[in-house]
Amino acid sequence: MNASHDLAPVTVIGLGPMGRAMVTTLMNAGHPVTVWNRTPSRADELVTAGATLAPTPADAVVASELILLSLTDYPAMYDILGGFTGALAGKVLVNLSSDTPGASREATAWAAEHGASFLTGGVMVPAPMVGTEAAYVYYSGPEALLREHDSVLRLLGAPRYVGEDPGLAQLWYQAQLTVFLTALSGLLQAAALVSAAGVPVGDFLPDAFDTFTGIPVMMEGGHELAKSLETGVHPGDLSTVRMMGATADHIVRTSETLGIDLEVPKAVKSHYDRAIAAGRGTDNWTALYEVIKSLR
């Protein structure tokens, strides 16, 4: 690692896979990096590579103006930093942990009470992709603060600023993870379906991945989908709610016959059932949005 005293020091608190990837990326770019983790042994390889292990969280905060947090959730930030809030004055906290938009807004207010600036972030790639051209990170909070530290934060992934409201980065992050986690559950549900019938999963997965990658093509980039969702107009000239709902019912019945978990297929079927009950059976499947977006 070619650390340079010309580059700003950075502190990283939290050394799970994501935190360790951030530290490595920053050190590769030449930044002096101070780290802290509840389990100090997680820093061993990083220290060997040139990072400085702070003996306490307070020492880690004092070491740098810019402090990146990569923790399980926002309460962990309070647990770690809450005992020495006087040291936070003048610091810039960039919380890249996952939590709710509301938690981000509360954390921003908490940081301000102690004289610290705060950016919310959401890293949209797994740890091995941090620092690559494919990496990007949602940020919200003061845009000037993001610009001030752009040269450091850009090393982790391309910054995508989504607004002054500190909750917006987590909103975008959670929305993207909704797509991701739901897709993963769907993939495993489908794998269980075919394997329960004696089909080798390895034979099935290539076609499943083709389905994943084919969805954007089927939707022509999402422009018509966005139009339908924004206008509330769902012309049923292709795949209607009733037709798709019949398929959803077949998936539930097949899953039940094969003895696999029914939670995911039943949840999907419930959207179609409620849309049909609301009189939208002849609308396009996109009319499910009108059911999903309201608890009423």
PDB file of all heavy atoms in Angstrom, residues 11-14 22 67-71 77 80-81 93-97 118:
ATOM      1  N   THR A  11     -11.235   7.299   8.831  1.00  0.00           N
ATOM      2  CA  THR A  11     -11.515   6.278   9.840  1.00  0.00           C
ATOM      3  C   THR A  11     -12.671   5.413   9.366  1.00  0.00           C
ATOM      4  O   THR A  11     -13.671   5.930   8.844  1.00  0.00           O
ATOM      5  CB  THR A  11     -11.874   6.937  11.188  1.00  0.00           C
ATOM      6  OG1 THR A  11     -10.686   7.495  11.755  1.00  0.00           O
ATOM      7  CG2 THR A  11     -12.452   5.927  12.166  1.00  0.00           C
ATOM      8  N   VAL A  12     -12.537   4.113   9.537  1.00  0.00           N
ATOM      9  CA  VAL A  12     -13.614   3.175   9.225  1.00  0.00           C
ATOM     10  C   VAL A  12     -13.938   2.405  10.493  1.00  0.00           C
ATOM     11  O   VAL A  12     -13.069   1.745  11.079  1.00  0.00           O
ATOM     12  CB  VAL A  12     -13.221   2.203   8.099  1.00  0.00           C
ATOM     13  CG1 VAL A  12     -14.353   1.195   7.851  1.00  0.00           C
ATOM     14  CG2 VAL A  12     -12.908   2.969   6.810  1.00  0.00           C
ATOM     15  N   ILE A  13     -15.187   2.481  10.919  1.00  0.00           N
ATOM     16  CA  ILE A  13     -15.657   1.762  12.102  1.00  0.00           C
ATOM     17  C   ILE A  13     -16.618   0.677  11.649  1.00  0.00           C
ATOM     18  O   ILE A  13     -17.634   0.956  11.010  1.00  0.00           O
ATOM     19  CB  ILE A  13     -16.336   2.723  13.093  1.00  0.00           C
ATOM     20  CG1 ILE A  13     -15.294   3.707  13.651  1.00  0.00           C
ATOM     21  CG2 ILE A  13     -17.008   1.958  14.225  1.00  0.00           C
ATOM     22  CD1 ILE A  13     -15.867   4.750  14.592  1.00  0.00           C
ATOM     23  N   GLY A  14     -16.279  -0.554  11.965  1.00  0.00           N
ATOM     24  CA  GLY A  14     -17.067  -1.712  11.532  1.00  0.00           C
ATOM     25  C   GLY A  14     -16.327  -2.477  10.456  1.00  0.00           C
ATOM     26  O   GLY A  14     -16.136  -1.961   9.345  1.00  0.00           O
ATOM     27  N   MET A  22     -13.938  -1.645   2.153  1.00  0.00           N
ATOM     28  CA  MET A  22     -13.749  -0.192   2.099  1.00  0.00           C
ATOM     29  C   MET A  22     -12.336   0.190   2.517  1.00  0.00           C
ATOM     30  O   MET A  22     -11.688   1.024   1.867  1.00  0.00           O
ATOM     31  CB  MET A  22     -14.766   0.495   3.010  1.00  0.00           C
ATOM     32  CG  MET A  22     -16.204   0.392   2.560  1.00  0.00           C
ATOM     33  SD  MET A  22     -17.295   1.161   3.791  1.00  0.00           S
ATOM     34  CE  MET A  22     -18.895   0.684   3.129  1.00  0.00           C
ATOM     35  N   ILE A  67     -15.316   9.993   8.977  1.00  0.00           N
ATOM     36  CA  ILE A  67     -15.517   8.709   9.656  1.00  0.00           C
ATOM     37  C   ILE A  67     -16.609   7.937   8.922  1.00  0.00           C
ATOM     38  O   ILE A  67     -17.755   8.398   8.828  1.00  0.00           O
ATOM     39  CB  ILE A  67     -15.917   8.927  11.121  1.00  0.00           C
ATOM     40  CG1 ILE A  67     -14.800   9.678  11.855  1.00  0.00           C
ATOM     41  CG2 ILE A  67     -16.198   7.601  11.817  1.00  0.00           C
ATOM     42  CD1 ILE A  67     -15.275  10.494  13.005  1.00  0.00           C
ATOM     43  N   LEU A  68     -16.250   6.784   8.390  1.00  0.00           N
ATOM     44  CA  LEU A  68     -17.196   5.919   7.700  1.00  0.00           C
ATOM     45  C   LEU A  68     -17.659   4.836   8.653  1.00  0.00           C
ATOM     46  O   LEU A  68     -16.842   4.186   9.311  1.00  0.00           O
ATOM     47  CB  LEU A  68     -16.551   5.281   6.468  1.00  0.00           C
ATOM     48  CG  LEU A  68     -15.838   6.213   5.483  1.00  0.00           C
ATOM     49  CD1 LEU A  68     -15.354   5.420   4.274  1.00  0.00           C
ATOM     50  CD2 LEU A  68     -16.744   7.358   5.046  1.00  0.00           C
ATOM     51  N   LEU A  69     -18.973   4.633   8.706  1.00  0.00           N
ATOM     52  CA  LEU A  69     -19.563   3.623   9.581  1.00  0.00           C
ATOM     53  C   LEU A  69     -20.142   2.504   8.728  1.00  0.00           C
ATOM     54  O   LEU A  69     -20.987   2.742   7.851  1.00  0.00           O
ATOM     55  CB  LEU A  69     -20.650   4.245  10.446  1.00  0.00           C
ATOM     56  CG  LEU A  69     -20.185   5.380  11.362  1.00  0.00           C
ATOM     57  CD1 LEU A  69     -21.348   6.241  11.801  1.00  0.00           C
ATOM     58  CD2 LEU A  69     -19.456   4.815  12.563  1.00  0.00           C
ATOM     59  N   SER A  70     -19.693   1.285   8.976  1.00  0.00           N
ATOM     60  CA  SER A  70     -20.213   0.123   8.262  1.00  0.00           C
ATOM     61  C   SER A  70     -20.645  -0.899   9.305  1.00  0.00           C
ATOM     62  O   SER A  70     -19.891  -1.809   9.674  1.00  0.00           O
ATOM     63  CB  SER A  70     -19.143  -0.470   7.332  1.00  0.00           C
ATOM     64  OG  SER A  70     -19.643  -1.586   6.627  1.00  0.00           O
ATOM     65  N   LEU A  71     -21.863  -0.723   9.804  1.00  0.00           N
ATOM     66  CA  LEU A  71     -22.358  -1.487  10.946  1.00  0.00           C
ATOM     67  C   LEU A  71     -23.641  -2.232  10.579  1.00  0.00           C
ATOM     68  O   LEU A  71     -24.196  -2.049   9.497  1.00  0.00           O
ATOM     69  CB  LEU A  71     -22.614  -0.538  12.119  1.00  0.00           C
ATOM     70  CG  LEU A  71     -21.409   0.322  12.533  1.00  0.00           C
ATOM     71  CD1 LEU A  71     -21.839   1.448  13.469  1.00  0.00           C
ATOM     72  CD2 LEU A  71     -20.336  -0.543  13.170  1.00  0.00           C
ATOM     73  N   MET A  77     -24.410   2.398  15.918  1.00  0.00           N
ATOM     74  CA  MET A  77     -23.666   3.661  15.928  1.00  0.00           C
ATOM     75  C   MET A  77     -23.772   4.340  17.291  1.00  0.00           C
ATOM     76  O   MET A  77     -22.773   4.823  17.846  1.00  0.00           O
ATOM     77  CB  MET A  77     -24.196   4.600  14.839  1.00  0.00           C
ATOM     78  CG  MET A  77     -23.539   5.976  14.835  1.00  0.00           C
ATOM     79  SD  MET A  77     -24.259   7.116  13.610  1.00  0.00           S
ATOM     80  CE  MET A  77     -25.871   7.420  14.359  1.00  0.00           C
ATOM     81  N   ILE A  80     -21.702   2.534  19.927  1.00  0.00           N
ATOM     82  CA  ILE A  80     -20.252   2.707  19.798  1.00  0.00           C
ATOM     83  C   ILE A  80     -19.815   4.137  20.078  1.00  0.00           C
ATOM     84  O   ILE A  80     -18.813   4.378  20.763  1.00  0.00           O
ATOM     85  CB  ILE A  80     -19.795   2.268  18.394  1.00  0.00           C
ATOM     86  CG1 ILE A  80     -20.012   0.752  18.220  1.00  0.00           C
ATOM     87  CG2 ILE A  80     -18.329   2.632  18.151  1.00  0.00           C
ATOM     88  CD1 ILE A  80     -19.882   0.274  16.789  1.00  0.00           C
ATOM     89  N   LEU A  81     -20.575   5.111  19.583  1.00  0.00           N
ATOM     90  CA  LEU A  81     -20.146   6.512  19.670  1.00  0.00           C
ATOM     91  C   LEU A  81     -20.802   7.281  20.816  1.00  0.00           C
ATOM     92  O   LEU A  81     -20.369   8.388  21.138  1.00  0.00           O
ATOM     93  CB  LEU A  81     -20.447   7.238  18.359  1.00  0.00           C
ATOM     94  CG  LEU A  81     -19.848   6.648  17.080  1.00  0.00           C
ATOM     95  CD1 LEU A  81     -20.197   7.534  15.877  1.00  0.00           C
ATOM     96  CD2 LEU A  81     -18.339   6.481  17.192  1.00  0.00           C
ATOM     97  N   LEU A  93     -19.655  12.315   9.756  1.00  0.00           N
ATOM     98  CA  LEU A  93     -20.063  10.917   9.860  1.00  0.00           C
ATOM     99  C   LEU A  93     -20.779  10.516   8.574  1.00  0.00           C
ATOM    100  O   LEU A  93     -21.747  11.165   8.174  1.00  0.00           O
ATOM    101  CB  LEU A  93     -21.003  10.714  11.051  1.00  0.00           C
ATOM    102  CG  LEU A  93     -20.488  11.135  12.432  1.00  0.00           C
ATOM    103  CD1 LEU A  93     -21.555  10.880  13.483  1.00  0.00           C
ATOM    104  CD2 LEU A  93     -19.199  10.404  12.773  1.00  0.00           C
ATOM    105  N   VAL A  94     -20.298   9.475   7.948  1.00  0.00           N
ATOM    106  CA  VAL A  94     -20.958   8.925   6.757  1.00  0.00           C
ATOM    107  C   VAL A  94     -21.404   7.521   7.128  1.00  0.00           C
ATOM    108  O   VAL A  94     -20.590   6.596   7.211  1.00  0.00           O
ATOM    109  CB  VAL A  94     -20.013   8.894   5.542  1.00  0.00           C
ATOM    110  CG1 VAL A  94     -20.751   8.347   4.322  1.00  0.00           C
ATOM    111  CG2 VAL A  94     -19.464  10.284   5.259  1.00  0.00           C
ATOM    112  N   ASN A  95     -22.689   7.384   7.392  1.00  0.00           N
ATOM    113  CA  ASN A  95     -23.200   6.092   7.844  1.00  0.00           C
ATOM    114  C   ASN A  95     -23.645   5.276   6.645  1.00  0.00           C
ATOM    115  O   ASN A  95     -24.628   5.599   5.982  1.00  0.00           O
ATOM    116  CB  ASN A  95     -24.347   6.274   8.838  1.00  0.00           C
ATOM    117  CG  ASN A  95     -24.560   5.016   9.664  1.00  0.00           C
ATOM    118  OD1 ASN A  95     -24.359   3.903   9.180  1.00  0.00           O
ATOM    119  ND2 ASN A  95     -24.961   5.192  10.909  1.00  0.00           N
ATOM    120  N   LEU A  96     -22.902   4.218   6.369  1.00  0.00           N
ATOM    121  CA  LEU A  96     -23.175   3.344   5.230  1.00  0.00           C
ATOM    122  C   LEU A  96     -23.834   2.043   5.683  1.00  0.00           C
ATOM    123  O   LEU A  96     -23.838   1.047   4.959  1.00  0.00           O
ATOM    124  CB  LEU A  96     -21.868   3.050   4.486  1.00  0.00           C
ATOM    125  CG  LEU A  96     -21.191   4.307   3.906  1.00  0.00           C
ATOM    126  CD1 LEU A  96     -19.768   4.005   3.473  1.00  0.00           C
ATOM    127  CD2 LEU A  96     -21.993   4.858   2.734  1.00  0.00           C
ATOM    128  N   SER A  97     -24.400   2.073   6.887  1.00  0.00           N
ATOM    129  CA  SER A  97     -25.107   0.915   7.430  1.00  0.00           C
ATOM    130  C   SER A  97     -26.543   0.908   6.913  1.00  0.00           C
ATOM    131  O   SER A  97     -27.055   1.919   6.445  1.00  0.00           O
ATOM    132  CB  SER A  97     -25.113   0.976   8.959  1.00  0.00           C
ATOM    133  OG  SER A  97     -23.835   1.310   9.470  1.00  0.00           O
ATOM    134  N   PHE A 118     -23.464  14.976   8.895  1.00  0.00           N
ATOM    135  CA  PHE A 118     -23.918  13.598   8.675  1.00  0.00           C
ATOM    136  C   PHE A 118     -24.365  13.398   7.231  1.00  0.00           C
ATOM    137  O   PHE A 118     -25.106  14.214   6.689  1.00  0.00           O
ATOM    138  CB  PHE A 118     -25.088  13.291   9.620  1.00  0.00           C
ATOM    139  CG  PHE A 118     -25.435  11.835   9.742  1.00  0.00           C
ATOM    140  CD1 PHE A 118     -24.857  11.059  10.731  1.00  0.00           C
ATOM    141  CD2 PHE A 118     -26.353  11.245   8.877  1.00  0.00           C
ATOM    142  CE1 PHE A 118     -25.184   9.709  10.871  1.00  0.00           C
ATOM    143  CE2 PHE A 118     -26.685   9.905   9.001  1.00  0.00           C
ATOM    144  CZ  PHE A 118     -26.096   9.137  10.000  1.00  0.00           C
TER     145      PHE A 118
END
